[in-house]
Amino acid sequence: DAMVIQNPRYQVTQFGKPVTLSCSQTLNHNVMYWYQQKSSQAPKLLFHYYDKDFNNEADTPDNFQSRRPNTSFCFLDIRSPGLGDAAMYLCATSASETDTQYFGPGTRLTVL
Amino acid sequence: GQNIDQPTEMTATEGAIVQINCTYQTSGFNGLFWYQQHAGEAPTFLSYNVLDGLEEKGRFSSFLSRSKGYSYLLLKELQMKDSASYLCAVMDSNYQLIWGAGTKLIIKP
């Protein structure tokens, strides 16, 4: 089945220790998104790629970076995690920017 | 500013019908999406409306009125597994998804 995969599902890191979350897709979609979602809140878009074109949201902290080495994979790097970065990180894909977004299972990040 | 309003929480009984409302104010409109999100899991796509009217998909239906900036999600024959949050999201003129905070639906036996 075509799907969006995120690894790991649960990630624990220490305050200030860099961490990388990964997302892969077998849908062959052009667009990949990274969202941050905290408890009982709406998902917050951090950035997205249309193919190799990177689009950063204006209020995404510099602490968050992303890489998309090929169509299938996208990474979220948090350079110096703070306690406030503890959240669920959701990867989504869509065929184009106007199409339905399909989500992976998410990675729950804990910062100690 | 752009805004999506949904009730924070609703309670319903197994086997009953529930309607979850969503009102929106966005710069432009390119469709409205409903997603279901179980606790600790990712959102899963339920429905998409871009024209006025009712879209039916099994036990779930979604309605849109663009002139009123209003949508609802109707869930029939409620089952315990329908306990989840339901998120309304609108695609604006820049094709950005504007998300509501979600409605937590509690189903009681």
Side-chain angles (χ1 to χ4, degrees):
Chain A
D1 285 343
M3 54 199 309
V4 183
I5 302 160
Q6 290 187 246
N7 285 304
R9 295 290 309 277
Y10 300 91
Q11 176 73 59
V12 180
T13 191
Q14 292 182 337
F15 183 94
K17 185 174 181 182
V19 67
T20 295
L21 309 182
S22 74
C23 177
S24 63
Q25 53 130 343
T26 61
L27 298 161
N28 204 32
H29 280 171
N30 288 314
V31 193
M32 294 187 78
Y33 307 80
W34 278 105
Y35 287 90
Q36 179 193 66
Q37 188 180 29
K38 297 187 176 180
S39 183
S40 302
Q41 295 184 19
K44 178 182 183 299
L45 182 64
L46 297 173
F47 22 61
H48 75 278
Y49 279 91
Y50 187 96
D51 197 10
K52 293 185 178 180
D53 291 335
F54 177 70
N55 296 273
N56 196 33
E57 293 302 298
D59 57 354
T60 298
D62 292 340
N63 197 26
F64 292 86
Q65 303 286 318
S66 184
R67 297 169 282 136
R68 189 179 185 186
N70 54 52
T71 301
S72 301
F73 285 87
C74 195
F75 300 97
L76 170 62
D77 301 308
I78 309 177
R79 294 194 293 191
S80 182
L83 298 178
D85 296 328
M88 174 79 91
Y89 289 88
L90 298 165
C91 173
T93 74
S94 63
S96 76
E97 289 173 318
T98 61
D99 283 317
T100 301
Q101 295 182 22
Y102 295 95
F103 286 82
T107 295
R108 180 163 296 283
L109 178 68
T110 300
V111 181
L112 300 177
Chain B
Q2 309 205 83
N3 198 48
I4 309 279
D5 283 317
Q6 309 178 231
T8 304
E9 187 175 295
M10 298 181 71
T11 302
T13 305
E14 190 177 17
I17 299 173
V18 72
Q19 178 175 312
I20 302 174
N21 295 325
C22 170
T23 57
Y24 62 89
Q25 291 177 310
T26 56
S27 50
F29 179 84
N30 281 299
L32 185 144
F33 298 81
W34 283 97
Y35 284 81
Q36 180 191 60
Q37 186 173 26
H38 285 101
E41 298 183 11
T44 55
F45 169 72
L46 289 177
S47 67
Y48 171 69
N49 294 69
V50 68
L51 298 176
D52 290 351
L54 188 68
E55 295 276 345
E56 296 187 77
K57 198 186 283 187
R59 293 188 300 114
F60 292 9
S61 303
S62 56
F63 172 84
L64 175 68
S65 168
R66 287 171 295 169
S67 62
K68 294 181 179 177
Y70 169 70
S71 173
Y72 66 74
L73 181 69
L74 191 72
L75 291 75
K76 302 176 187 175
E77 300 168 16
L78 285 169
Q79 302 175 9
M80 297 303 292
K81 68 178 182 179
D82 298 329
S83 292
S85 287
Y86 291 85
L87 293 96
C88 173
V90 173
M91 187 169 280
D92 70 8
S93 57
N94 293 320
Y95 301 103
Q96 296 266 30
L97 266 188
I98 310 302
W99 292 84
T103 298
K104 183 178 180 180
L105 178 62
I106 300 167
I107 311 293
K108 295 187 173 178

